[in-house]
């Protein structure tokens, strides 16, 4: 009895010495030791050890940009609140593989709580959808996905910093019937729905008392959009049909058709022309009907209408349509853009540091935003003044070289322009400007000559593509900026402010393209890598396997994906309609 009393004395003293311990025990008992218990155990009620309040970061979205930001944020001075209608991260480049059973849906998703649990940053998650952003009061208004007993499904969350990474939705271009009759391929649920529809189509076509015309219609699969997603899905579906389904449904072998509709003159227009030509030739050999220059005008329940560039309209019967034609803006982003005066844009405009223009504490990244790169010609007078250190009114080559590093960092289009013209440096650019005046031995430019030299530089300003690679790099970049926020306030490490004094806190975001893949089916993939390196064939397919396995967000998903690939090689794809 004395021993038990001594134990409770010590336990009671522990509660007094560590008040938060009681919260840990109680919450763990109620929740079964879930994320809430972790958050309480690792948190200090938003207060760091020095007694100052932690800055609250609200993260909207669990896609590539949001998850990359969460994974790379390591500063314990922040308290992160993740808000998203889906409680997991999905490896979207493998969604076409999910549609045909090459990879299982659960193999490409990682619960967001698992990612947050492994951080030394206070992290919590709310399964809800943000439908309004209130920048004036620094809060977001959300709606819970879960039914609540008191009927109050809406709530607000305050923030110090807001990171918008909500992604985008499929763009229907307001074409009649698309929303009601087409499948999209943006989410895991979309891929699962497509997989079930494909199997159901084969089962339905196997029923007796159907005419051959009806069977052909049911087994006609139409893909709208000749981008990477549409092309990869068409290739995956072709492999699924020829390698697995025709052996299970032998009567359907000569009835299946796959048609790819593309409004442009070629598919995969963002790739090298060599890849485009080979992809079109391979699809032709495989029997995939590629209709170029075909713009969809209407989608009915059983047929789709398309118009060629010559004005000819054709009606195509179908059994299933997959719509993959680009992305559109989500309603919450449209509403927010109207509030901040960006209502006429397609995506949120940010500066080169991913900060929403006009909002100091709001950042946007991924598909919902675009970087509004500042033009050189907008600042050309300020650049000239900064470089002209002796205030002589002219610019020597030496003066410009001293400012060159900051200029190239602040305006990446300068470096791109030099590469496009095969120039070794700014000196070549200035020499070209003076080429018409052979009498000058020493380069010395006045302001008008300086403007003339840089007049074509802004032609290299390009918008970044809406890809997972861009979003992931932006998330990593922003997380590193947040980690070093306090340090860089004291010691800025960015380029010189052309308009104003001092330096920017950080170096601006710079996208580094690591290459692109386009699986073409038959264990062949087209790869376009830096350095104008193009490869198409089986070797590129194995490179695709290795890269996609290495890019998984956890060892759990990495093992699951690789095991799914091995299972498919040994046993084939699963044809169950689940």
């Amino acid at each position: 009895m004395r021993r038990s009393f001594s134990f409770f004395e010590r336990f009671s003293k522990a509660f007094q010495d560590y008040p938060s311990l009681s919260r840990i025990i109680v919450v763990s008992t109620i929740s079964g030791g879930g994320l809430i218990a972790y958050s309480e155990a690792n948190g200090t009620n938003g207060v760091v050890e020095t007694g100052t309040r932690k800055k609250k970061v609200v993260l909207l979205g669990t896609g590539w940009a949001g998850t990359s930001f969460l994974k790379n944020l390591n500063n314990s001075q922040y308290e992160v609140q993740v808000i998203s209608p889906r409680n997991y991260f999905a490896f979207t480049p493998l969604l076409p593989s999910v549609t045909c059973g090459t990879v299982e849906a659960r193999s490409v998703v990682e619960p967001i709580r698992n990612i947050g649990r492994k951080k030394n940053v206070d992290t919590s998650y709310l399964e809800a959808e943000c439908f309004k952003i209130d920048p004036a009061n620094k809060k977001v208004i959300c709606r819970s996905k879960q039914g609540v007993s008191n009927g109050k499904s809406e709530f607000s969350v305050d923030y110090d910093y807001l990171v918008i990474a909500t992604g985008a939705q499929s763009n229907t271009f307001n074409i009649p019937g698309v929303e009601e009759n087409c499948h999209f391929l943006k989410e895991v649920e979309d891929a699962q729905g497509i997989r079930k529809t494909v199997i159901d189509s084969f089962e339905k076509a196997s029923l007796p008392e159907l005419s051959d015309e009806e069977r052909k219609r049911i087994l006609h699969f139409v893909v709208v959009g000749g981008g990477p997603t549409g092309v990869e899905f068409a290739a995956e579906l072709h492999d699924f049909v020829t390698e697995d389904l025709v052996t299970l449904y032998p009567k359907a072998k000569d009835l299946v058709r796959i048609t790819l509709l593309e409004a442009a003159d070629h598919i995969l227009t963002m790739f090298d022309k060599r890849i485009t030509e080979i992809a079109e030739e391979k699809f032709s050999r495989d029997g995939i009907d590629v209709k170029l220059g075909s713009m969809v005008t209407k989608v009915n329940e059983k047929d789709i209408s398309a118009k060629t560039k010559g004005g000819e309209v054709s009606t195509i019967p179908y059994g299933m349509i997959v719509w993959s034609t680009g992305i559109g803006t989500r309603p919450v982003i449209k509403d927010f853009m109207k509030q901040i005066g960006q209502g006429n844009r397609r995506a949120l405009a940010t500066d080169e540091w991913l900060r929403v223009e006009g909002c100091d504490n709001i950042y946007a990244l991924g598909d919902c935003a675009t970087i509004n790169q500042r033009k050189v010609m907008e600042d050309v007078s300020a650049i000239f003044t900064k470089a002209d250190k002796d205030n002589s009114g002219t610019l020597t080559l030496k003066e410009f070289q001293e400012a060159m590093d900051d200029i190239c960092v602040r305006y990446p289009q300068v470096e791109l322009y030099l590469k496009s013209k095969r120039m070794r440096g700014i000196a070549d650019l200035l020499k070209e400007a003076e080429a018409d005046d052979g009498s000058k031995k020493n380069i010395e430019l006045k302001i008008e000559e300086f403007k003339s030299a840089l007049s074509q530089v802004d032609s290299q300003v390009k918008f970044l593509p809406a890809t997972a690679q861009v979003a992931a790099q932006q998330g990593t970049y922003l997380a590193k900026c947040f980690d070093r926020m306090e340090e860089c306030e004291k010691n800025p490490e960015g380029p010189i402010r052309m308009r104003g004094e001092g330096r920017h806190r950080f170096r601006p975001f710079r996208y580094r393209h690591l290459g692109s893949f386009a699986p073409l089916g038959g264990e062949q993939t087209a790869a376009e890598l830096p350095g104008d390196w193009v490869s198409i064939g089986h070797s590129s397919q194995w490179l695709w396997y290795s890269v996609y396995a290495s890019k998984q967000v956890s060892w759990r998903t990495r093992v699951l994906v690789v095991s799914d690939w091995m299972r498919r090689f040994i046993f084939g794809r699963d044809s169950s309609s689940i």
Side-chain angles (χ1 to χ4, degrees):
M1 186 67 181
R2 175 60 185 169
R3 181 175 300 174
S4 299
F5 182 74
S6 176
F7 167 78
F8 281 110
E9 278 185 332
R10 292 196 299 271
F11 200 72
S12 176
K13 187 177 187 301
F15 279 131
Q16 297 172 4
D17 293 342
Y18 304 98
S20 61
L21 183 59
S22 59
R23 292 194 297 275
I24 299 171
I25 301 296
V26 173
V27 176
S28 295
T29 303
I30 295 174
S31 68
L35 177 69
I36 298 177
Y38 165 82
S39 185
E40 289 288 329
N42 288 273
T44 52
N45 290 333
V47 180
V48 295
E49 294 180 359
T50 58
T52 58
R53 186 180 70 86
K54 289 187 177 183
K55 294 288 187 180
K56 186 172 185 178
V57 180
V58 171
L59 171 62
L60 301 180
T62 53
W64 278 95
T67 302
S68 178
F69 174 81
L70 184 62
K71 282 192 66 179
N72 290 279
L73 184 66
N74 295 309
N75 193 330
S76 60
Q77 303 291 323
Y78 297 108
E79 174 190 359
V80 181
Q81 176 72 73
V82 183
I83 301 174
S84 175
R86 68 180 194 189
N87 68 348
Y88 58 85
F89 163 78
F91 193 88
T92 51
L94 285 178
L95 288 184
S97 298
V98 175
T99 62
C100 299
T102 306
V103 175
E104 291 299 320
R106 291 192 178 276
S107 300
V108 300
V109 300
E110 179 72 14
I112 202 67
R113 294 182 185 272
N114 282 358
I115 298 173
R117 179 173 57 85
K118 300 172 184 178
K119 304 293 296 179
N120 64 346
V121 180
D122 287 351
T123 306
S124 57
Y125 168 76
L126 294 174
E127 188 177 58
E129 181 177 8
C130 173
F131 66 90
K132 189 173 183 61
I133 298 171
D134 185 359
N137 297 307
K138 289 189 176 183
K139 63 175 59 178
V140 293
I141 316 300
C142 307
R143 184 181 295 114
S144 172
K145 281 191 65 180
Q146 306 297 334
V148 290
S149 58
N150 59 7
K152 296 181 180 179
S153 60
E154 296 182 2
F155 57 91
S156 63
V157 179
D158 297 327
Y159 64 82
D160 293 306
Y161 296 104
L162 177 63
V163 179
I164 304 174
T166 55
Q169 62 186 15
S170 297
N171 195 348
T172 65
F173 300 98
N174 296 320
I175 296 175
V178 173
E179 194 76 39
E180 298 82 5
N181 301 304
C182 296
H183 289 271
F184 301 105
L185 193 47
K186 288 284 292 179
E187 305 288 346
V188 173
E189 293 84 359
D190 297 335
Q192 291 174 314
I194 291 171
R195 177 176 177 176
K196 187 177 189 307
T197 302
V198 169
I199 301 301
D200 288 347
S201 296
F202 275 85
E203 294 292 353
K204 187 176 180 180
S206 300
L207 294 175
E209 300 183 0
L210 287 177
S211 65
D212 286 342
E213 288 300 318
E214 182 65 8
R215 286 192 173 93
K216 288 181 180 179
R217 183 192 69 79
I218 293 172
L219 294 177
H220 186 195
F221 303 99
V222 177
V223 183
V224 181
T229 302
V231 168
E232 184 174 352
F233 170 70
E236 279 279 356
L237 181 60
H238 175 266
D239 287 352
F240 188 28
V241 171
T242 56
E243 296 174 7
D244 299 279
L245 294 183
V246 293
T247 59
L248 301 175
Y249 306 88
K251 294 182 180 179
K253 181 177 181 180
D254 297 325
L255 302 176
V256 180
R257 287 178 58 205
I258 300 174
T259 299
L260 179 64
L261 301 179
E262 170 55 44
D265 295 331
H266 296 282
I267 61 175
L268 299 176
T269 54
M270 67 291 300
F271 282 80
D272 188 278
K273 290 182 179 179
R274 292 168 287 182
I275 292 178
T276 297
E277 293 173 358
I278 292 176
E280 292 174 354
E281 290 175 3
K282 185 179 187 306
F283 274 19
S284 178
R285 292 195 307 269
D286 290 342
I288 299 175
D289 186 13
V290 179
K291 295 183 180 296
L292 301 173
S294 297
M295 183 178 298
V296 176
T297 57
K298 187 178 181 181
V299 181
N300 295 317
E301 187 177 355
K302 293 184 178 181
D303 58 64
I304 179 173
S305 300
K307 183 173 66 174
T308 64
K309 291 186 176 181
E312 182 182 350
V313 179
S314 60
T315 301
I316 306 170
Y318 72 88
M320 184 189 79
I321 295 181
V322 173
W323 189 270
S324 177
T325 60
I327 57 175
T329 311
R330 294 189 183 276
V332 62
I333 302 300
K334 287 182 180 179
D335 178 73
F336 178 54
M337 289 166 63
K338 290 179 181 178
Q339 292 185 60
I340 60 175
Q342 296 187 18
N344 60 341
R345 302 185 64 93
R346 294 184 179 180
L348 271 172
T350 72
D351 61 17
E352 297 87 336
W353 294 267
L354 308 184
R355 184 175 51 223
V356 175
E357 292 185 344
C359 303
D360 290 338
N361 58 347
I362 301 179
Y363 298 81
L365 52 163
D367 294 353
C368 69
T370 183
I371 297 176
N372 192 11
Q373 176 63 51
R374 191 164 182 84
K375 306 291 194 299
V376 171
M377 295 309 293
E378 293 175 354
D379 296 336
V380 65
S381 297
I383 295 172
F384 186 89
T385 302
K386 287 284 184 181
D388 184 19
K389 294 183 178 179
D390 60 1
N391 297 321
S392 62
T394 59
L395 198 64
T396 64
L397 178 60
K398 181 180 179 181
E399 286 176 328
F400 201 92
Q401 285 177 328
E402 291 176 352
M404 184 177 65
D405 290 341
D406 286 306
I407 292 171
C408 288
V409 170
R410 182 65 181 86
Y411 308 95
Q413 61 265 38
V414 174
E415 187 174 347
L416 293 175
Y417 181 78
L418 295 177
K419 288 181 179 179
S420 68
K421 296 295 184 179
R422 301 185 182 277
M423 297 180 182
R424 291 175 297 178
I426 297 294
D428 291 341
L429 179 65
L430 298 181
K431 288 177 181 177
E432 184 183 57
E434 290 293 332
D436 297 332
D437 189 355
S439 61
K440 288 191 177 183
K441 297 181 179 180
N442 297 320
I443 297 176
E444 193 169 309
L445 298 180
K446 295 180 180 179
I447 181 66
E448 294 303 323
E449 295 170 326
F450 180 69
K451 288 180 180 180
S452 175
L454 296 178
S455 61
Q456 301 300 317
V457 167
D458 288 328
S459 63
Q460 295 297 314
V461 174
K462 297 177 181 178
F463 291 109
L464 296 178
T467 63
Q469 189 175 165
V470 172
Q473 290 187 27
Q474 288 179 337
T476 301
Y477 164 83
L478 189 60
K480 291 180 178 179
C481 289
F482 269 68
D483 284 344
R484 297 169 52 81
M485 187 85 73
E486 188 174 334
E487 178 183 345
C488 291
E489 284 282 2
K490 301 175 183 177
N491 301 302
E493 57 185 27
I496 294 174
R497 295 181 183 271
M498 296 302 172
R499 294 179 179 270
E501 299 298 325
R503 290 182 171 272
H504 292 277
R505 284 184 301 179
F506 312 107
R507 295 173 69 89
F509 172 74
R510 182 72 66 88
Y511 171 61
R512 181 187 176 195
H513 185 62
L514 302 177
S516 302
F517 292 100
L520 303 177
E523 290 299 307
Q524 296 186 54
T525 289
E528 184 178 8
L529 302 178
D532 195 32
W533 191 79
V534 172
S535 174
I536 302 173
H538 297 289
S539 59
S540 299
Q541 178 70 30
W542 285 103
L543 179 62
W544 179 86
Y545 283 134
S546 61
V547 170
Y548 275 29
S550 66
K551 291 297 181 181
Q552 297 298 314
V553 296
S554 70
W555 275 102
R556 185 189 72 87
T557 56
R558 190 171 293 122
V559 170
L560 288 174
V561 166
V562 173
S563 64
D564 283 347
W565 287 334
M566 295 175 63
R567 171 188 52 76
R568 199 269 297 177
F569 274 116
I570 299 172
F571 302 108
R573 300 171 182 85
D574 180 29
S575 61
S576 302
S577 60
I578 55 174

